[in-house]
Amino acid sequence: MAQLTLTTFLSLDGVMQAPGGRDEDRSDGFDYGGWLVPFADEDMGRFVDEVFDRADGFLLGRRTYEIFAAYWPQVTDPDDPIASRLNTLPKHVVSRTLERAEWNNSHLVEGDLAEVVARLKEGPGREIQVHGSARLAQGLLAHGLVDALNLLVFPVFLGKGRRLFPDGGTPTAFELTDHRATSAGAVIQTYRPAGPARFGTFAPGE
């Protein structure tokens, strides 16, 4: 049974919008695109390669799918650890506006998101991976559908932009299962859900 994992790049204030390019996503007047680029290094690349090596399929939102589809088919090196997966493995695209998904082995998915995720998890493999896909990621988190979070947090404050964690959803505790730092100052953290969030109050004197 496969697991659904979410990997995303975040600023210190939780912004995930347009990390990789100036014109990647200017929606809502966002003009700080490419904020990750100054911090990209071999440590980050090594971790991303590790993640893609575990992939058996992808669940993507429309914008991330279109960004990937415009770039990765041009990378034809069969030994490229990212391109070789993205160009060949199944890509399940969640969109209300796309009429077709023409990139090799791409499929538009319809219906209830929880049912779609349950069906994908029933298949063989290790991970169905979500990358970026802000609105899709927010919906998955709000409904408790993510089995593991890979958060790459970079040392930059942006002050505006689409953030990963939405208001709403069920308060949930997470267990830290892995962490590392990159030479450029990013912190990579992997979390798994650990049941309902718990609450308490410090007693006086503690």
Side-chain angles (χ1 to χ4, degrees):
M1 184 172 179
Q3 293 193 325
L4 186 75
T5 66
L6 169 61
T7 300
T8 194
F9 306 124
L10 299 175
S11 67
L12 285 178
D13 51 332
V15 174
M16 65 181 297
Q17 187 171 355
R22 294 291 295 168
D23 296 316
E24 187 176 287
D25 180 5
R26 291 185 178 270
S27 60
D28 301 319
F30 187 72
D31 53 4
Y32 299 147
W35 51 266
L36 174 154
V37 176
F39 305 102
D41 61 7
E42 291 184 359
D43 294 329
M44 184 196 84
R46 189 176 302 111
F47 177 80
V48 173
D49 288 349
E50 291 173 10
V51 170
F52 275 90
D53 188 54
R54 300 192 298 267
D56 288 293
F58 302 95
L59 181 66
L60 303 172
R62 177 189 63 82
R63 186 177 294 276
T64 297
Y65 173 79
E66 290 179 332
I67 292 170
F68 283 5
Y71 177 80
W72 287 108
Q74 302 175 58
V75 183
T76 57
D77 180 359
D79 295 323
D80 186 291
I82 300 176
S84 61
R85 272 72 173 180
L86 283 173
N87 287 327
T88 59
L89 292 174
K91 292 165 284 291
H92 308 278
V93 187
V94 179
S95 174
R96 296 176 180 173
T97 57
L98 277 182
E99 296 181 356
R100 57 186 178 276
E102 298 180 342
W103 188 9
N104 178 54
N105 210 359
S106 296
H107 316 276
L108 289 175
V109 297
E110 299 178 351
D112 180 77
L113 183 61
E115 293 178 0
V116 170
V117 170
R119 185 169 66 251
L120 292 175
K121 287 184 178 184
E122 289 173 358
R126 295 161 295 176
E127 294 185 10
I128 304 298
Q129 297 185 351
V130 182
H131 293 270
S133 306
R135 290 187 176 88
L136 172 61
Q138 289 177 343
L140 293 168
L141 288 168
H143 291 89
L145 299 174
V146 178
D147 296 305
L149 286 171
N150 296 311
L151 305 180
L152 291 82
V153 182
F154 293 83
V156 58
F157 173 87
L158 298 176
K160 67 175 182 178
R162 188 174 298 115
R163 288 168 170 79
L164 173 61
F165 295 103
D167 292 334
T170 302
T172 305
F174 285 81
E175 174 190 5
L176 180 67
T177 61
D178 189 23
H179 64 92
R180 66 185 81 173
T182 73
S183 61
V187 178
I188 303 172
Q189 304 155 84
T190 298
Y191 293 97
R192 292 188 178 275
R198 297 184 297 172
F199 307 93
T201 301
F202 286 113
E206 293 186 355

